[in-house]
Amino acid sequence: MKTTLTLLLALSAAPAFAQANPDQPATDADGNTIVVSASRSGDAVPIDLTGASVTVIDDQAFNLRQTRVVSDILRDVPGVAVSRTGGIGGQTQIRIRGAEANQTLVLIDGIEVSDPSSSEYDFGLLVADPDAHIEVLRGQQSSLYGSDAIGGVINYITSTGTEAPGISLRAEGGSFGTVNGAARVAGVKGDLDYALSSTYLHTNGFPTAEGGTRDVGSDNVGLSGKAIWAPAPNLKITAVGRYSHTNADTNDSDATGTTVDSPGTHFRANAFYGLLRGQLDLLDGRFTNAVTAQIADTRRTGFDVADPYSPRDDQPIEATYGTHGRRIKGSYAGAVHFGTDDIKQVATVALDAQRESERTTISQYGAFLGWRHTNNVGLVGEYDVTVHDRLAFGASVRHDWNNRFGDPTTYRVQASYKLDTGTRLHAAAGSGVKDPTFSELFDYYAGQYIGNPGLNPEKSHGWEAGIGQTLLDGKVSLDATYFDNRLKDEITTTYTATGSTSINLPGHTRQRGVEVSASAKLGDGWRIDAAYTYLHAPQPLSVTLDPATFLTGTVDVQGLRRAKNIASVNIGWAPPHRRFTANLGVRYNGPQNDQFFATVPGTLVWLHGYTLVNLDATYALTGRVQIFGRVENQLGAHYEDVYTFATAGRAGYGGVRVTF
């Protein structure tokens, strides 16, 4: 009885906490940057009380840099590498801290959006919404989210009606026959907060085959809706719906592995995402309960000639492959807030139940066309404490029960401490797990690839430690972080005389490096954001050592499409109460390895480093009408993210934005 009374007194003394959900803003009431992906408690955590490394790109950065494709702005995040096959609509992969693209968990408004067929989200399908922001949480986060969160978590959040009310319309055009438009209607009416937005992007594209003449273009349509209903002070119901459609040209490779013009070749991708979340707060907000149901349904179909290695003129274009993936997930998170104004504590329990399904819908190679399923239940326990808003500590543990793989237990601990001098020390350590994909387990292409149903999940352990410093009353922030990760049972492709398959590598691979960031918000609207990453991520790779003799072997080199050095700097000027704003962005991607499949296995090739310079400007004609323009790749850099795929040269765009 005494223990119960003590707990109730502690709860009654605890302050109210902001609750996180898909409508959580990027800043608190005092303008401090907050994150919601670093905890399952539902709390918005100040970024300077988070031990793990996290970067928030706010809506002002999106607008200043005139971001139209979300993957472009992710190039400005420390630890992130971006590779795209050619132009807009081409497959776009994001790698964090040297991890594979399918080892990053991607959320959009709280919905897990990776394609269950490949267990990876293609960022080539995501056109930026008006008024959105991104959180990028780096390091192993499987103790919070389960499989996939080895490299980290990317959380893309659209704004609510409270944050960005009104009507906005945007239209622009420019190079490569590009037409881009966006519309948004948002506001608050009684207890209902609503936001509806749509995007459209068409481009004729440009030749992605080196020396080719066929323009490779794309069409992308996005629709998004978010509604938050608060029928009572302690009850909130949130609904999110999102639909995307992409129809994008692609090019094949010839018998030597070189990208060539392939008229008629394209793919269609359609995806629907939905979420329903209810949150009930008890004990004056100190005991929060949130129940969430979500669905992701993705379909992708490719169109080509039946035999791309034969003359194309005599062959019709037909559907040559297709996949359909579905994820249904339900979650409960309950958090108890207790303590005092000086010592704030949160204890959280979360339960996730998930069913992933996948089927091949079209196959030329005799693949199984029925459904396959994987069921998983995960239980999370988490504890966080903040002392005098200076010291923060958090720990979490998760156990998963999986019907196909083993039942892993993952953990995470993190701490942050702020000194009076403006110095902040932060550190984190944790483990991650990545289940094999349906493709790696079951895909079948006669004479080319046979899946391996005996694969084990990949497992990762790592740690990081960093130091930050604020200057000029917090207007300038600097941070440097060292990280060290080890990946065990890495899944790779091995080649035999009869084709290829996936295997778990023995031993472990290591990824380590340094991330440096700097930001400054100075007088008269000046803003500077800079980032630098050094990455050392060796990877054993099966290659052809001598194409003349077909001598093969294994080499230990920097992982494919992971440059050792990546940097960016953005200098923005947005003075208050003035008509003109501008931003100068410079992005550097160092030399990196790739693989060229003129032989099987492929040969190792070298992609040269490159620098992209972008200039963006906006002028307000009136309080409601703005005109804007930008020039991308001002220096006309010729570069490749993926070997033999050409990229865009210098390009210019301009348009108008109207708000009501």
Side-chain angles (χ1 to χ4, degrees):
M1 180 64 181
K2 182 178 180 181
T3 302
T4 303
L5 180 60
T6 302
L7 176 59
L8 290 174
L9 289 173
L11 288 170
S12 64
F17 288 71
Q19 296 311 305
N21 48 52
D23 56 82
Q24 188 66 51
T27 58
D28 61 17
D30 298 322
N32 300 312
T33 302
I34 54 179
V35 294
V36 298
S37 53
S39 172
R40 289 296 300 271
S41 66
D43 291 341
V45 182
I47 196 170
D48 60 358
L49 290 175
T50 304
S53 295
V54 58
T55 298
V56 175
I57 304 178
D58 59 23
D59 58 346
Q60 186 191 48
F62 267 84
N63 292 331
L64 275 174
R65 301 171 204 175
Q66 294 186 24
T67 302
R68 301 296 178 254
V69 179
V70 172
S71 60
D72 287 344
I73 204 168
L74 288 172
R75 295 179 186 269
D76 299 330
V77 177
V80 172
V82 181
S83 59
R84 183 166 68 198
T85 55
I88 293 174
Q91 183 187 25
T92 306
Q93 296 182 308
I94 306 295
R95 295 176 172 86
I96 299 180
R97 289 184 171 176
E100 289 293 346
N102 64 8
Q103 294 172 343
T104 294
L105 185 78
V106 182
L107 305 173
I108 297 181
D109 282 329
I111 305 170
E112 189 175 339
V113 294
S114 64
D115 185 340
S117 297
S118 62
S119 193
E120 179 179 325
Y121 182 69
D122 181 0
F123 274 86
L125 310 180
L126 184 58
V127 176
D129 293 89
D131 300 301
H133 68 277
I134 296 180
E135 300 174 358
V136 182
L137 180 64
R138 300 184 290 282
Q140 295 85 350
Q141 309 296 330
S142 288
S143 66
L144 298 179
Y145 296 101
S147 177
D148 297 5
I150 282 182
V153 176
I154 296 176
N155 190 14
Y156 176 77
I157 305 170
T158 60
S159 295
T160 65
T162 301
E163 294 175 272
I167 300 173
S168 66
L169 304 171
R170 187 189 72 224
E172 70 176 43
S175 299
F176 313 122
T178 300
V179 177
N180 183 296
R184 174 181 160 89
V185 179
V188 178
K189 188 172 184 179
D191 355 354
L192 180 66
D193 180 306
Y194 63 93
L196 302 171
S197 65
S198 64
T199 58
Y200 172 71
L201 193 156
H202 163 82
T203 180
N204 293 336
F206 53 87
T208 62
E210 295 286 1
T213 59
R214 182 205 181 206
D215 289 337
V216 176
S218 66
D219 287 278
N220 188 297
V221 177
L223 301 173
S224 176
K226 180 188 292 186
I228 305 107
W229 180 43
N234 65 333
L235 177 62
K236 183 188 295 185
I237 298 173
T238 301
V240 177
R242 189 176 189 90
Y243 170 77
S244 70
H245 166 80
T246 299
N247 190 344
D249 296 331
T250 57
N251 273 330
D252 292 329
S253 298
D254 62 15
T256 70
T258 302
T259 302
V260 295
D261 285 345
S262 309
T265 305
H266 66 285
F267 77 87
R268 283 203 300 258
N270 294 283
F272 170 76
Y273 308 104
L275 176 144
L276 185 63
R277 182 182 190 272
Q279 178 174 312
L280 177 65
D281 299 341
L282 302 174
L283 299 176
D284 293 328
R286 290 157 179 83
F287 179 29
T288 63
N289 299 268
V291 177
T292 304
Q294 60 177 269
I295 183 173
D297 191 276
T298 60
R299 299 170 187 259
R300 193 174 184 121
T301 305
F303 298 84
D304 202 346
V305 295
D307 183 1
Y309 300 117
S310 298
R312 307 180 65 89
D313 294 341
D314 299 329
Q315 300 186 69
I317 299 297
E318 58 187 39
T320 54
Y321 75 86
T323 60
H324 182 192
R326 181 180 295 137
R327 178 184 301 104
I328 299 174
K329 185 175 181 179
S331 302
Y332 165 79
V336 177
H337 303 77
F338 57 99
T340 66
D341 288 339
D342 294 329
I343 303 177
K344 305 168 188 175
Q345 302 178 71
V346 186
T348 305
V349 173
L351 180 68
D352 300 321
Q354 175 176 289
R355 181 177 177 86
E356 287 190 326
S357 305
E358 181 264 0
R359 67 187 179 105
T360 299
T361 57
I362 300 168
S363 174
Q364 294 180 318
Y365 304 99
F368 173 65
L369 299 181
W371 283 98
R372 298 182 177 92
H373 310 279
T374 299
N375 300 323
N376 192 92
V377 175
L379 179 63
V380 179
E382 183 181 3
Y383 171 75
D384 296 282
V385 59
T386 302
V387 180
H388 297 291
D389 291 326
R390 178 188 297 264
L391 170 66
F393 172 81
S396 57
V397 62
R398 177 185 177 112
H399 185 77
D400 285 276
W401 293 268
N402 191 288
N403 72 318
R404 192 179 295 281
F405 309 110
D407 301 331
T409 299
T410 50
Y411 74 94
R412 183 192 67 161
V413 293
Q414 60 178 5
S416 173
Y417 182 71
K418 295 189 291 186
L419 284 71
D420 292 333
T421 57
T423 303
R424 185 172 79 96
L425 306 176
H426 58 93
S431 62
V433 63
K434 174 68 183 76
D435 294 335
T437 69
F438 284 114
S439 297
E440 292 165 338
L441 293 168
F442 303 118
D443 269 4
Y444 176 79
Y445 303 97
Q448 299 182 41
Y449 180 86
I450 300 176
N452 179 3
L455 289 171
N456 295 318
E458 298 170 298
K459 295 175 281 293
S460 176
H461 294 266
W463 62 275
E464 62 177 82
I467 182 171
Q469 181 68 49
T470 58
L471 305 168
L472 301 179
D473 295 325
K475 296 178 181 178
V476 177
S477 298
L478 309 171
D479 191 88
T481 300
Y482 174 82
F483 63 88
D484 192 319
N485 300 322
R486 293 173 185 263
L487 180 65
K488 183 181 178 183
D489 289 328
E490 179 179 359
I491 296 174
T492 190
T493 302
T494 186
Y495 300 88
T496 67
T498 58
S500 60
T501 190
S502 295
I503 61 170
N504 291 107
L505 288 174
H508 67 266
T509 55
R510 187 178 181 188
Q511 305 84 35
R512 60 188 186 276
V514 176
E515 299 165 347
V516 180
S517 64
S519 64
K521 293 185 178 180
L522 307 174
D524 200 29
W526 285 99
R527 169 176 179 157
I528 302 174
D529 296 282
Y532 167 75
T533 305
Y534 170 78
L535 173 68
H536 181 59
Q539 179 185 54
L541 192 66
S542 296
V543 298
T544 298
L545 300 173
D546 185 355
T549 63
F550 298 100
L551 176 65
T552 63
T554 300
V555 295
D556 200 25
V557 296
Q558 179 84 355
L560 302 180
R561 303 174 192 171
R562 299 162 177 84
K564 283 193 173 183
N565 297 281
I566 298 177
S568 74
V569 61
N570 282 274
I571 302 173
W573 187 57
H577 312 301
R578 296 199 186 182
R579 294 176 180 266
F580 184 74
T581 67
N583 187 82
L584 174 65
V586 181
R587 293 164 178 158
Y588 170 74
N589 197 99
Q592 56 191 353
N593 293 315
D594 206 349
Q595 202 163 9
F596 179 47
F597 285 92
T599 58
V600 178
T603 56
L604 192 67
V605 293
W606 187 248
L607 302 180
H608 295 287
Y610 59 87
T611 300
L612 302 178
V613 178
N614 303 327
L615 180 62
D616 316 292
T618 300
Y619 183 77
L621 296 175
T622 69
R624 298 184 182 277
V625 181
Q626 296 176 331
I627 56 174
F628 57 83
R630 68 183 182 279
V631 180
E632 298 179 351
N633 192 7
Q634 281 198 339
L635 303 182
H638 180 78
Y639 67 99
E640 294 175 330
D641 278 335
V642 179
Y643 190 61
T644 79
F645 279 90
T647 49
R650 185 182 296 110
Y653 306 90
V656 60
R657 183 172 185 262
V658 181
T659 57
F660 300 94

